[in-house]
Amino acid sequence: MSRFPYCLSLNPPPLLQLIWFLAPHVELASQQAKVIEAQIPSVQTRLLTGSDGVEYWSKQYIWDTVLNGIRIVVSTHQVLLDALIHGFVQMARLSLMVFDEAHHCVADHPASRILRDFYHPCLAANKGQAPAILGLTASPVVNNKAGKLEQLESNLQAISRTPKLSREELLHHVNKPTLVRLAYPSELHNTPRSQLLLDLHQLRSSLDIEQDPFVKKLMSGPEPYDPVQLRKLKLSRKTYCQEQLKNLSTRAEIIQLELGPWAADWYIKACIRKFQQVASDDTIGLRMLDDREKVYLYECLTGLLSSIPEDDRLTDDASLSSKFLCLAEYLLSQLGMQFTGLLFVRTRAEVAVLAQLLSLHPKTKALLTVGTFVGVSSTASRKANIGDLIDVRGQIYTLDDLRFGRKNLVIATSALEEGIDVTACNTVICFEKPPNLISVIQRRGRARKSESKFVIMLADDADPSVITTWEKLEQEMQRQYMDDMRQLQGLEALEETDEGYREFVVEQTGAKLLLADAASHLYHFCATLTTGPLSNRAPVFSVKSVGKDLFTTTVILPISVDASVREASSSAWKTEKAAKRDAAFEAYIQLYRAGLVSDNLLPVEAYDELVVEIQTEVAKVASLVEIAGQLNPWHLVARDWQARTNRENLSTTHCFDVSLLCNNEAVAAVQMILPCNLPVLPSIPLYWDARTMFRSIISPRSASASQSTHPHVAAQSTALLLRSVFRYRMNVEATDFVDNVGVQLPEEGIPVNIKRCQAFFLPGESENPLQWTQRYVGTVKSEELKPFDVSTLPLKKLGMARSMSQGGLAHVVRGFQIGSLEVPATERQSPERDEAGFYLQVSKFPKRTDFLHKVSEQDEQTPAKHYTTLLKAEDCEIDKLPIGYAYFAAIVPCIMHRVGISLIVVHLCNTLLAPASIENLELVLTAITTSAAQEPTNYQRQEFLGDSVLKFLTSLTLTSDHLRWPEGHLSRAKDHIVSNASLAKAALAIGLDKFIITKPFTGSKWRPLYVADQLGKPTGQPRLLSTKTLADVVEALIGAAFLDGGFRKAIELTKIFLRKPTWSMVEDKNEILHTTHQASESSIICPHHFVQLEELVGYSFTLKSLALEALTDSSYMGPNVTTSYERLEFLGDTCLDIIVATTSFNHEPPIRTHGLHLIRSAVVNADFLAFLSLTLCVSVPRATITTGNRKNDVSVSQALVPLHLWNFMRHASPTVRHAQQGVIERYESLETSISESLQRGSHIPWALLARLGAPKFLSDIIESVVGAIYIDSHGSLTACEAFLERLGVMGYLRRLLDGGVALYHPKEELGQLADTETVRYEVFGEEGEEKRFGCVVRVGEREVAKVGDGLCAMEVETRAAEEAVRLLKGERGDAARKRKFE
């Protein structure tokens, strides 16, 4: 059945046409319906059986309603035959009829009548236009009657063919069972008899037929009855009640004969008890009984039980038959670790009783887990049979239980012989002699395991002719087996024949491909394809016979390989083996020529020579590497100063206004002269102390009168300004002053080194620099201020006060005090205070030079810095330079630091990054600044964005440049390109390292820099830096380019660092992908039900082939396919990533870097996406039919059923199907809890999502659909985002961004709580019917938490971490509360 879905894909039915799958009985039809629904979940399938009350559907509208929206119908032959007979279904409405067990299509079987009475007339009337027919059977001939095969072929319009090709392989996989004759002793005539059975016989003989409810009904009814018919009824006693008692006693007789009197007693009691239990239940078969019949039977049967004990215990073997004991002993002898068996019996009653016996018998009850399987009624009007103990509803999982080892023995009737898929068994037992040859063949076929046994139980005194028959059968089986073995040996000998020699040599390397090695090379290539764990990655060989004793082979590679090189064929060879080798040889050469195999004839696992270089060199780089010292921006400034030829003035320089503000009031205003221009700089916050913050603003001027100033005057004004604070850090040579400056200054003038500084500072525009310098040079004695009214002195115009007794220590004048004025008690007192003197109220001028960083909390708590001190005026001098300029001089190191950083950024953008043309230099500054530098911003947020941008561009480029590469090749290439090692090497190669800002500014050793000193210092001392930081800076620069100019600038910047792949505009890559898929569109037929897929995803595809590809698993081997979804998933993964990353990055207020990473990890998490995949659905109508007690009591209603995204997956893997079924069961139990947590929970439901245990393909198809939408929409991330919005990704992303949800995974949070202690997770298995897991989590040596009943290791680890976090937080909270009260 795994190949049936191909029919639907190959020839999609027209809108109103049906595919009708026919099976000979209800059990097989039910099983096939389940398989079809699992294999083709995207279309609606309906199972029709007699139990649905089909015989009551007497109106056309009922059939029309039932079949509305249905594409595949599964039924028994009789259902379709009746529908055709009554005209409810027309043959013209069918596009395909599938006859399972097609050997029934002979004689007057319903299958034959469908063909004979309806198909062939339709074929003749419509000139060959009729439904296609597919017949499936393993036994076209089931007896020796002549002409049966020809009749079968004629009815089916087909030719019967037995596979002859690949016979060698088939024979290797055929395991013929050993025929075992199991003889049991015949029962003696004096064997004990069942007392309850005797009582039942006595009851039947004593019943008065005239008291029978049916007879009484006829005699007392309103209609006259026929006396003759009534007399016949009394004589035959064939009423329902009489027949039920008769059948019960007959079956009990068989049970007694086959299994013994205890079994007969148990069977009768069980039947009576069941009837008593369900007599009042109108829903279980008894609804067809008249109430008087129920009462009559109830009274009769209840009387039987009144005289026997209730105890059903099996005390000894004396009451059991020798046949059962023989069976039990044989089963015990066969039981082992891998025992799986089928036990065929004749009647449903024997199935029930044998199952009970084996579950109670002391020798077998602990070793056997028994299931049952019987046939199902094909009609809904059948009255209940009180002798039927089997509830067929309970056998729905029996075969799955056997398949997965939950049961090891199934007892069945002949219903399990034909067609139904049963796992291979190693023991098949016939409790009675099989009735015919068909039964022998079909039962024997169930014993398919190696060294299996086919057992037939016979009495030791059985008819010798019967024994002879079975011995002959055994001899014939042995003869056939030996013939097969001889044929196999002959085939193997032929395969060893050397038929030829072929080789292919690569000239560049000398690598050689030989015919004998081709197949192994091909298998190795397929193994490198990184498809999912549930996929089959092996090549498939298809052998074809051509001519006499010649073979050709076609090899088909997995569909993750490009279609152009997926198939290859051999020439004709004498043996299958040689033909396979030749096909593999041709396939491998195709792969080589397509670039999927290297010149060394190995799979291309690396990208190209660049990746090889990366792997061999960069991968060896240690986590810390020595990089160049930081670029010295003042070296560049010194070179510019040196290049100035005009030494008379500063006319060719650049002038900037620099203002210092406090609370928006001007403190000082100066002009800064540089030989180079600066970008627009943001205002600089300056933290003077814990209470005072300044702000410096630097703005360029187009021209200034100061630029005509002589450089020496500029040097003097600069020296005057800086000496107010840094006089002890300046390089002063007094003898150079007069000779070099040439300007006569007062005697007390400032000695100035004539070397040019890093920047000149001049007074504001309104001041003459020379006059300003002359006016403010020098100091005054504090006593000179005494004659003035000190209360009116403008303190802002005073300079700093310097205490001569303290070595000229600088102070800020806060006020004056004369005589014995009161001094506030809070002020610090001078130890030498003279009450009658003249004092200055001062505070110390800070020695700090780092005003870029806030004062630490410890410094803020030191009150002394905010107190004033009294200094004797006679001991002090006051600078003429106003205090505002001193404030400015103090922050010059901070200004120069920021200017220097800006110069680094400008130089970087004008050199290495010039091709990217980034306009916003602040983005570049952020990108090259590490967190260690302690600047206001660092690269981390931009690195988060740039990482996603780079991965997206790389994935898009690789996907469009290498249209034949499978996903595995693309993933490996991308991983190499975006790896830290690759990016770090690229950064070092172009010299980015010297631009990276790592050292924090302290200003502690700052001193004015001079041109001559800086000319020989282009960089600082070499540094150590991690390769990850180097890579992060590259990604941050890509993020900066993206923010500045979108993908266009991001690509230009990426080109700077990475030579390969061939980077080009996103629009060009999008067009390549769209055009490529457009070219294959004509070869793909899109099924009609994919309209519902478009409704589901909220997007209408222009290229329908993309929708098909996005949902095609790599296990799919059918037609109508380009390739599997892996390539689209590869691209869609990065589309999803960049949508989430950009949305998160642009959120206001900005999210911190670690939060961005946590949010992205939560939203793109595979378990989360899989849950949304299971949740997303569209509703489709489906009819529901309810049948009442009467013939025309049929009601029709419409219900909406969900159609999920995963339903549209195309695959051919039983493992995928079982994974789907398993996760759906878990989803149904967890959906409410997970949804509630996602919508309103305070934590991400990590443990619940882990318990869901979703297979990876569920999240993969989300990403592949995103990739398909991206290509189809010519690269519209907006269209992709609309799908993600519909899916629920964007809504949950917004909830996480808005806060209120704890983001940490429990394991990460536990790691933080553990601090330096080691956290260990110990996962163990738990005993039970189903595999369960438990976990113990230890922090250090302490066991903190233990959980169990988990479905997977990840679930229990997550739950254990959650519990440990809860306990540790509780303990720490208790400890904190205890300390509070102590």
Side-chain angles (χ1 to χ4, degrees), residues 758-813:
Q758 54 194 12
F760 287 137
F761 291 100
L762 302 176
E765 181 69 16
S766 61
E767 298 276 3
N768 179 284
L770 180 58
Q771 294 175 357
W772 181 85
T773 304
Q774 292 173 337
R775 181 167 65 249
Y776 289 129
V777 68
T779 62
V780 296
K781 297 290 185 178
S782 299
E783 288 184 327
E784 296 178 14
L785 301 176
K786 190 173 182 179
F788 297 96
D789 184 358
V790 295
S791 64
T792 63
L793 285 176
L795 298 179
K796 292 183 179 179
K797 292 189 176 181
L798 295 178
M800 286 197 295
R802 301 184 185 274
S803 174
M804 298 297 102
S805 63
Q806 298 180 25
L809 184 64
H811 295 80
V812 180
V813 178

Side-chain angles (χ1 to χ4, degrees), residues 8-10 12 42 559 1077 1080-1091 1093-1094 1101-1114 1116 1119-1126 1128 1208-1211 1261 1264-1265 1268-1269 1272:
L8 182 65
S9 301
L10 179 63
S42 56
I559 62 170
H1077 283 83
S1080 62
E1081 182 73 6
S1082 59
S1083 63
I1084 298 299
I1085 304 173
C1086 188
H1088 296 285
H1089 62 271
F1090 265 62
V1091 174
L1093 170 65
E1094 293 178 326
F1101 284 91
T1102 304
L1103 304 178
K1104 306 298 183 184
S1105 60
L1106 280 167
L1108 275 177
E1109 181 179 325
L1111 292 158
T1112 301
D1113 183 71
S1114 57
Y1116 184 74
N1120 198 35
V1121 65
T1122 52
T1123 186
S1124 58
Y1125 64 64
E1126 276 90 353
L1128 289 178
F1208 291 90
M1209 270 190 69
R1210 300 195 301 172
H1211 67 88
I1261 60 175
S1264 65
V1265 169
I1269 293 174
D1272 188 73

Side-chain angles (χ1 to χ4, degrees), residues 783-1010:
E783 288 184 327
E784 296 178 14
L785 301 176
K786 190 173 182 179
F788 297 96
D789 184 358
V790 295
S791 64
T792 63
L793 285 176
L795 298 179
K796 292 183 179 179
K797 292 189 176 181
L798 295 178
M800 286 197 295
R802 301 184 185 274
S803 174
M804 298 297 102
S805 63
Q806 298 180 25
L809 184 64
H811 295 80
V812 180
V813 178
R814 302 296 183 185
F816 301 93
Q817 184 172 319
I818 300 175
S820 59
L821 296 177
E822 292 295 327
V823 179
T826 56
E827 295 182 355
R828 178 167 294 176
Q829 306 299 315
S830 172
E832 302 177 358
R833 178 180 176 190
D834 183 352
E835 294 293 340
F838 177 35
Y839 295 91
L840 304 182
Q841 292 179 350
V842 298
S843 61
K844 289 183 179 179
F845 194 88
K847 294 182 179 180
R848 293 175 57 238
T849 49
D850 175 15
F851 300 104
L852 293 175
H853 302 102
K854 291 183 178 181
V855 180
S856 67
E857 292 183 2
Q858 181 179 358
D859 288 337
E860 288 180 349
Q861 295 169 1
T862 305
K865 295 204 173 188
H866 305 301
Y867 285 88
T868 58
T869 302
L870 295 179
L871 296 178
K872 289 182 179 180
E874 62 186 35
D875 186 46
C876 297
E877 293 181 350
I878 298 179
D879 290 348
K880 293 181 180 180
L881 186 68
I883 189 64
Y885 288 108
Y887 284 142
F888 181 85
I891 60 99
V892 163
C894 301
I895 294 175
M896 290 297 96
H897 173 71
R898 289 295 169 82
V899 169
I901 288 177
S902 298
L903 292 172
I904 291 175
V905 172
V906 170
H907 187 62
L908 174 61
C909 290
N910 291 337
T911 54
L912 295 185
L913 305 187
S917 303
I918 299 178
E919 297 176 4
N920 189 340
L921 302 189
E922 283 297 313
L923 295 173
V924 178
L925 172 59
T926 297
I928 63 174
T929 305
T930 66
S931 57
Q934 299 179 22
E935 293 295 316
T937 184
N938 60 61
Y939 67 70
Q940 292 177 350
R941 272 178 47 86
Q942 282 182 199
E943 179 272 330
F944 167 82
L945 179 62
D947 171 73
S948 294
V949 172
L950 176 60
K951 288 177 179 176
F952 171 76
L953 294 176
T954 304
S955 297
L956 178 62
T957 300
L958 290 173
T959 305
S960 60
D961 287 357
H962 302 280
L963 298 171
R964 290 179 172 179
W965 275 19
E967 180 270 336
H969 287 45
L970 294 173
S971 292
R972 283 189 290 270
K974 185 195 78 171
D975 291 344
H976 291 320
I977 291 169
V978 305
S979 67
N980 287 343
S982 171
L983 298 178
K985 182 178 184 296
L988 293 171
I990 68 170
L992 176 67
D993 50 332
K994 65 184 178 185
F995 293 95
I996 300 176
I997 300 169
T998 59
K999 187 176 180 180
F1001 172 77
T1002 63
S1004 60
K1005 296 183 179 181
W1006 186 88
R1007 63 187 61 250
L1009 304 177
Y1010 298 96

Side-chain angles (χ1 to χ4, degrees), residues 102-159:
H103 53 267
H104 290 287
C105 297
V106 293
D108 284 330
H109 192 278
S112 178
R113 291 189 58 193
I114 291 171
L115 295 167
R116 183 187 66 203
D117 300 340
F118 294 94
Y119 170 75
H120 286 288
C122 176
L123 195 66
N126 294 287
K127 298 181 180 180
Q129 297 297 317
I133 292 179
L134 174 65
L136 306 171
T137 182
S139 308
V141 179
V142 296
N143 55 43
N144 297 325
K145 293 184 179 180
K148 289 294 184 181
L149 180 58
E150 290 76 8
Q151 183 185 358
L152 180 64
E153 292 176 331
S154 174
N155 286 347
L156 289 170
Q157 288 286 106
I159 298 175

Side-chain angles (χ1 to χ4, degrees), residues 18 55 142 167 186 246 380 407 434 541 647 679 790 848 914 939 964 1067 1074 1076 1114 1167 1191 1207 1216 1239 1325 1340:
L18 300 169
E55 65 266 33
V142 296
R167 186 162 176 77
S186 300
K246 177 182 177 182
K407 297 192 185 315
F541 292 90
R647 305 178 61 86
V790 295
R848 293 175 57 238
Y939 67 70
R964 290 179 172 179
E1067 294 77 11
H1074 191 275
T1076 301
S1114 57
D1167 289 335
K1191 183 175 183 180
N1207 290 126
V1216 171
Q1239 293 170 12

Side-chain angles (χ1 to χ4, degrees), residues 234-470:
K234 291 180 178 180
L235 290 173
S236 65
R237 303 176 72 90
K238 288 187 176 180
T239 65
Y240 174 77
C241 293
Q242 296 293 328
E243 287 294 307
Q244 287 297 301
L245 294 173
K246 177 182 177 182
N247 290 339
L248 180 60
S249 62
T250 301
R251 294 181 182 187
E253 284 283 1
I254 296 173
I255 295 297
Q256 178 174 256
L257 177 64
E258 297 289 344
L259 301 174
W262 182 93
D265 280 346
W266 180 88
Y267 172 70
I268 295 171
K269 286 189 287 186
C271 290
I272 295 173
R273 289 167 183 164
K274 181 180 179 182
F275 181 81
Q276 291 173 330
Q277 179 182 352
V278 303
S280 60
D281 188 350
D282 192 45
T283 63
I284 308 178
L286 295 176
R287 64 184 181 183
M288 306 303 296
L289 272 66
D290 186 276
D291 287 340
R292 286 169 294 184
E293 291 177 321
K294 290 183 185 179
V295 173
Y296 183 75
L297 279 176
Y298 187 90
E299 292 174 349
C300 292
L301 295 174
T302 303
L304 279 177
L305 295 181
S306 60
S307 60
I308 61 172
E310 290 290 329
D311 189 7
D312 290 335
R313 287 181 299 174
L314 181 60
T315 56
D316 56 53
D317 291 346
S319 57
L320 299 177
S321 69
S322 59
K323 186 175 184 179
F324 170 78
L325 297 176
C326 178
L327 170 67
E329 290 296 331
Y330 184 78
L331 287 172
L332 290 173
S333 69
Q334 300 300 308
L335 285 175
M337 293 294 293
Q338 302 298 323
F339 173 79
T340 51
L342 289 178
L343 175 59
F344 284 99
V345 298
R346 185 168 53 245
T347 65
R348 299 160 69 96
E350 289 175 274
V351 171
V353 178
L354 261 175
Q356 182 71 9
L357 266 175
L358 291 172
S359 64
L360 291 178
H361 196 277
K363 293 184 179 180
T364 58
K365 64 179 181 180
L367 301 175
L368 292 174
T369 51
V370 181
T372 61
F373 194 94
V374 298
V376 179
S377 171
S378 60
T379 176
S381 60
R382 177 179 176 181
K383 289 187 176 181
N385 191 322
I386 64 173
D388 193 353
L389 289 178
I390 299 294
D391 183 357
V392 294
R393 294 174 301 178
Q395 70 183 30
I396 185 172
Y397 299 113
T398 295
L399 299 183
D400 282 341
D401 289 343
L402 182 67
R403 179 176 292 107
F404 295 111
R406 294 188 289 267
K407 297 192 185 315
N408 57 11
L409 178 66
V410 171
I411 306 173
T413 61
S414 59
L416 205 56
E417 290 179 353
E418 184 177 54
I420 295 177
D421 182 26
V422 181
T423 189
C425 299
N426 51 28
T427 303
V428 174
I429 303 174
C430 300
F431 197 64
E432 295 93 5
K433 180 173 69 70
N436 51 48
L437 180 61
I438 298 177
S439 292
V440 172
I441 295 172
Q442 291 176 334
R443 293 182 183 184
R444 186 185 64 188
R446 300 300 190 190
R448 301 190 301 274
K449 283 190 175 181
S450 178
E451 299 181 357
S452 57
K453 295 180 176 63
F454 179 53
V455 182
I456 299 174
M457 297 189 68
L458 295 171
D460 55 6
D461 61 351
D463 187 344
S465 62
V466 175
I467 299 174
T468 303
T469 300
W470 293 116

